[in-house]
């Protein structure tokens, strides 16, 4: 009887029994089995012994049913009703309440097991072992579920991060929330800027400081990863950790998870106190978060590279210089979407042709490098068709044929305005684009609303509308990135644009600046503007 079962570690047991002899015997049996015991003679005393910090709570309670101040059933109910103590398993014992109904009531009111006295010491210890085994398995499962939820949330957070610094903060917070401890991280941005992140615990703010770019290679060497790929956890002593990161806040020995998803890419490193990893489950979850963080950073790095490529494509496709045409003053603006928005396909063009000056503004529907590539293809073809001398609606029809053959399924909005200065006319052919704004010096601004279908639908395009203009007439052509606002009516925004132009400066450059300042801030789409004055 002095041998303790080996399949369950020692426990702290709360014994509540008003009989001194019973309490002594129970305590002796439990202590000989290796358990620690705290004892109480009344229900109130027993409840006082559980009014302690979570780390000091007992692992199991053995409660006599017949107590002088309240029944053991009531004590059990109070334990189970309190979220702090609801996890503590309860064994009810009784020499008087031994009927099946008593057993049923005890189990119904919170007991996990019920024993009649006199109880055999072997049966008591076996019941304690079995109850603890079940309770600890349940607690491990509940803890794992909570940590899986934290892992899932941390993974979503790192993948949702829109920029490097928010990613670094999300990864470090994810480690702190996952293991309920302070955490640190070391990451290298897509621009090769290293940062050291620290968070003091769950729901704490993250501090981000610059770091030595070579630190990650040293951490990978400590870990044994070197230049390979993979993820694993290693433990290093406190002094060695401080030698690598003197300013870090973590104390004691450290557990680091280093992950690299591609060769020749920098790894990521997450660090927590070694004592935070209580089990193989904890280590596995820590590895998974590190691997998810490395994959998320790689996705962010790839996105940045694609974004930079798309911007380079866009800029290479825009006109290098604008034609000089007597009687026409021109101003242009092109503003790429915000840094974190996808690449768009907005473009503008001005081509001197045998028929006059052709102004064009358009937008490939969609956001991607593909949209930017299609934009370049359409713009180059447009220039070629214009230089050949085709009228605006024939240019649209030829572009329709080009898209059907080379880019099926892609649609493009495009507005063409052929300016014939000698005749003082505008030939407007609009394929589903934002209507151009014609500003007459006497009648003021009005949108030219007639238009044909988008390019890419395989539909015919009508001849252009011809408008006679007076000296001093202005023309404004924009892409939808300037005027589209989420949850706002396009008609209302167009009206605001028209009023702004009517009240704005006559100078073309000043008007472009005003429009970008008023309508172009924090947009998730490219913006192109053509502003023309006919004199």
């Amino acid at each position: 009887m002095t041998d303790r079962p080996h399949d369950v570690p020692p426990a702290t047991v709360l014994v509540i029994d008003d009989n001194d002899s019973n309490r002594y015997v129970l305590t002796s049996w439990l202590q000989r089995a290796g358990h620690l015991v705290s004892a109480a003679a009344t229900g109130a005393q027993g409840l006082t012994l559980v009014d302690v910090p979570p780390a000091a709570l007992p692992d199991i309670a053995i409660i006599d049913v017949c107590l002088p101040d309240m029944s053991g059933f009531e004590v059990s109910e109070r334990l189970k009703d309190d979220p702090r103590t609801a996890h503590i398993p309860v064994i009810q014992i009784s020499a008087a309440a031994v009927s099946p109904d008593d057993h049923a009531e005890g189990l119904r009111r919170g007991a996990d097991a019920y024993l009649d006295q006199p109880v055999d010491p072997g049966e008591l210890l076996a019941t304690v072992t079995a109850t603890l085994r079940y309770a600890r398995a349940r607690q491990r499962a509940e803890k794992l579920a909570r940590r899986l939820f934290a892992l899932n949330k941390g993974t979503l957070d790192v993948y949702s991060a829109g920029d490097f610094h928010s990613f670094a903060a999300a990864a470090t917070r994810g480690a702190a929330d996952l293991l309920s401890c302070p955490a640190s991280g070391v990451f290298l941005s897509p621009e090769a800027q290293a940062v050291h992140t620290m968070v003091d615990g769950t729901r704490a703010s993250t501090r981000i400081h610059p770091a030595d770019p070579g630190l990650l290679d040293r951490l990978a060497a400590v870990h044994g990863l070197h230049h390979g790929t993979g993820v694993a956890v290693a433990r290093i002593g406190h002094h060695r950790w401080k030698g690598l990161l003197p300013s870090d806040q973590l104390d004691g020995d450290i557990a680091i998870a280093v992950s690299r998803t591609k060769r020749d890419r920098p790894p990521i490193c997450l660090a927590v106190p070694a004592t935070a990893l209580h089990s193989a489950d904890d280590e596995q979850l820590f590895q998974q978060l590190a691997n998810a963080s490395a994959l998320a950073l790689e996705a962010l790095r790839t996105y940045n590279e694609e974004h930079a490529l798309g911007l380079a494509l866009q800029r290479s496709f825009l006109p290098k210089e604008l034609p000089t045409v007597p009687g026409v003053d021109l101003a242009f603006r092109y503003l790429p979407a915000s840094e974190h928005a996808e690449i768009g396909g907005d473009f503008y063009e001005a081509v001197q042709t045998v028929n006059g000056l052709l102004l064009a503004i358009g937008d490939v529907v969609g956001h991607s490098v593909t949209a930017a590539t299609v934009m370049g293809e359409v713009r180059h073809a447009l220039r070629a068709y214009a230089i050949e001398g085709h009228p605006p609606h024939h240019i649209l029809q030829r572009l329709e044929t080009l898209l059907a053959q080379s880019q099926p399924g892609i649609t493009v909005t495009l507005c063409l305005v052929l300016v014939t200065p000698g005749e003082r006319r505008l030939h407007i052919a609009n394929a589903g684009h934002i209507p151009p704004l014609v500003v007459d010096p006497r009648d003021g601004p009005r949108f030219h609303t007639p238009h044909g279908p988008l390019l890419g639908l395989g539909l015919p395009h009508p001849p252009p509308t011809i408008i006679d203009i007076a000296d001093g007439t202005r023309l404004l052509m924009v892409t939808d990135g300037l005027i589209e606002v989420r949850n706002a009516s396009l008609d209302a925004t167009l009206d605001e644009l028209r009023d702004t132009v009517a009240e704005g400066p006559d100078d073309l450059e000043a008007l472009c600046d005003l429009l970008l300042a008023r309508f172009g801030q924090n947009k998730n789409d490219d913006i192109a503007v053509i502003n023309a004055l006919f004199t």
Side-chain angles (χ1 to χ4, degrees):
M1 207 188 66
T2 58
D3 295 331
R4 179 179 55 80
H6 295 289
D7 57 348
V8 174
T12 300
V13 185
L14 171 63
V15 174
I16 307 176
D17 195 316
D18 64 326
N19 185 291
D20 294 340
S21 297
N22 287 343
R23 196 167 63 250
Y24 173 77
V25 170
L26 292 173
T27 299
S28 299
W29 291 347
L30 292 165
Q31 288 176 337
R32 279 191 225 167
H35 300 298
L36 300 175
V37 180
S38 58
T42 67
Q45 290 175 0
L47 293 174
T48 300
L49 292 177
V50 297
D51 188 16
V52 293
L57 285 170
D59 298 305
I60 189 170
I62 300 175
I63 306 173
D64 184 20
V65 172
C66 300
L67 296 171
D69 55 343
M70 64 183 79
S71 73
F73 297 154
E74 184 178 349
V75 177
S76 178
E77 281 182 324
R78 291 195 186 185
L79 291 175
K80 297 299 183 178
D81 288 342
D82 187 342
R84 293 174 52 259
T85 57
H87 66 281
I88 299 174
V90 172
I91 299 175
Q92 295 277 7
I93 61 173
S94 180
V98 295
S99 71
D101 288 342
D102 294 325
H103 283 221
E105 182 178 5
L107 294 171
R108 195 166 47 244
R109 296 177 68 176
D112 296 273
Y114 199 110
L115 297 175
D116 295 335
Q117 289 182 314
V119 60
D120 178 77
E123 182 182 7
L124 174 72
L125 294 177
T127 303
V128 168
T129 297
T131 306
L132 281 172
R133 185 190 303 118
Y134 170 77
R136 286 170 172 169
R138 183 186 63 201
Q139 290 164 16
R140 282 195 301 271
E142 291 172 350
K143 177 182 176 182
L144 181 59
R146 290 192 300 270
R147 292 199 164 172
L148 284 172
F149 178 81
L151 175 64
N152 185 51
K153 181 179 182 302
T155 300
L156 289 174
D157 288 346
V158 295
Y159 274 103
S160 301
D163 58 54
F164 171 69
H165 281 85
S166 59
F167 156 80
T172 313
R173 279 197 311 270
D177 292 345
L178 177 66
L179 297 169
S180 303
C181 67
S184 299
V186 182
F187 311 97
L188 193 69
S189 77
E191 295 77 26
Q193 297 174 337
V195 298
H196 169 212
T197 57
M198 293 178 285
V199 60
D200 293 330
T202 57
R203 293 183 293 275
S205 59
T206 305
R207 306 184 300 281
I208 301 179
H209 303 286
D212 176 6
L215 178 60
L216 278 168
D217 290 334
R218 294 195 292 275
L219 289 168
V222 168
H223 183 277
L225 187 64
H226 295 287
H227 297 288
T229 60
V231 57
V233 173
R235 286 165 173 79
I236 60 177
H238 177 70
H239 292 296
R240 191 175 186 187
W241 176 251
K242 284 296 185 180
L244 292 166
L245 270 173
S247 62
D248 193 68
Q249 90 282 20
L250 298 180
D251 292 324
D253 292 344
I254 306 300
I256 62 171
V258 179
S259 178
R260 180 189 282 114
T261 58
K262 289 185 178 180
R263 288 188 176 275
D264 302 321
R265 292 289 206 183
I268 68 103
C269 175
L270 292 172
V272 295
T275 53
L277 301 183
H278 300 289
S279 65
D281 287 340
D282 292 342
E283 186 166 318
Q284 183 72 20
L285 293 173
F286 191 35
Q287 283 184 340
Q288 290 182 32
L289 178 63
N291 196 53
S293 299
L295 289 169
L297 182 55
E298 184 59 33
L300 184 62
R301 183 176 283 110
T302 301
Y303 171 80
N304 283 6
E305 291 170 351
E306 180 179 298
H307 197 271
L309 173 62
L311 287 177
L313 281 171
Q314 285 178 314
R315 294 189 176 102
S316 69
F317 294 149
L318 295 175
K320 298 296 186 293
E321 58 183 20
L322 301 176
T324 300
V325 179
V328 181
D329 295 330
L330 295 173
F332 294 81
R333 291 290 187 277
Y334 177 79
L335 185 66
S338 65
E339 180 182 350
H340 310 302
E342 295 183 274
I343 295 298
D346 291 24
F347 66 96
Y348 66 87
E349 187 57 87
V351 186
Q352 182 64 40
T353 75
V354 294
N355 300 317
L357 175 66
L358 182 70
L359 301 176
I361 194 164
D363 184 7
V364 179
V365 177
H367 296 83
S368 64
V369 171
T370 299
T373 304
V374 174
M375 176 264 282
E377 185 177 350
V378 169
R379 176 183 167 270
H380 287 309
L382 184 154
R383 283 184 63 86
Y385 298 146
I387 291 172
E388 287 177 353
H390 298 288
H393 63 299
H394 288 178
I395 293 175
L396 294 178
Q397 202 61 56
R398 281 167 169 75
L399 290 174
E400 188 76 59
T401 302
L402 173 68
L403 287 173
Q405 292 179 350
S406 66
Q407 300 290 345
I410 298 293
T411 54
V412 179
T413 68
L414 177 61
C415 182
L416 302 178
V417 178
L418 177 65
V419 183
T420 53
E423 299 175 353
R424 315 300 295 164
R425 287 178 175 174
L426 304 179
H427 302 246
I428 303 176
N430 190 354
H433 196 75
I434 297 293
L437 186 66
V438 180
V439 186
D440 185 274
R442 292 169 300 181
D443 300 331
R446 69 185 187 281
F447 286 105
H448 181 79
T449 54
H451 62 77
L454 280 70
L455 293 172
L457 299 181
L459 299 174
H461 293 271
T465 303
I466 300 175
I467 299 176
D468 292 318
I469 57 174
D471 287 348
T473 297
R474 288 183 290 157
L475 174 71
L476 179 68
M477 304 167 71
V478 302
T479 55
D480 57 7
L482 181 71
I483 49 107
E484 280 193 344
V485 179
R486 183 178 297 178
N487 300 324
S489 165
L490 180 61
D491 289 338
T493 313
L494 286 173
D495 289 343
E496 185 180 354
L497 176 68
R498 182 195 59 215
D499 295 341
T500 301
V501 171
E503 300 167 2
D506 293 332
D507 180 77
L508 298 183
E509 300 289 348
L511 180 60
C512 286
D513 292 339
L514 173 64
L515 295 178
L516 290 180
R518 182 164 298 181
F519 298 96
Q521 302 301 308
N522 302 316
K523 290 300 183 71
N524 291 322
D525 200 357
D526 301 334
I527 296 170
V529 177
I530 299 176
N531 201 2
L533 171 64
F534 308 111
T535 59

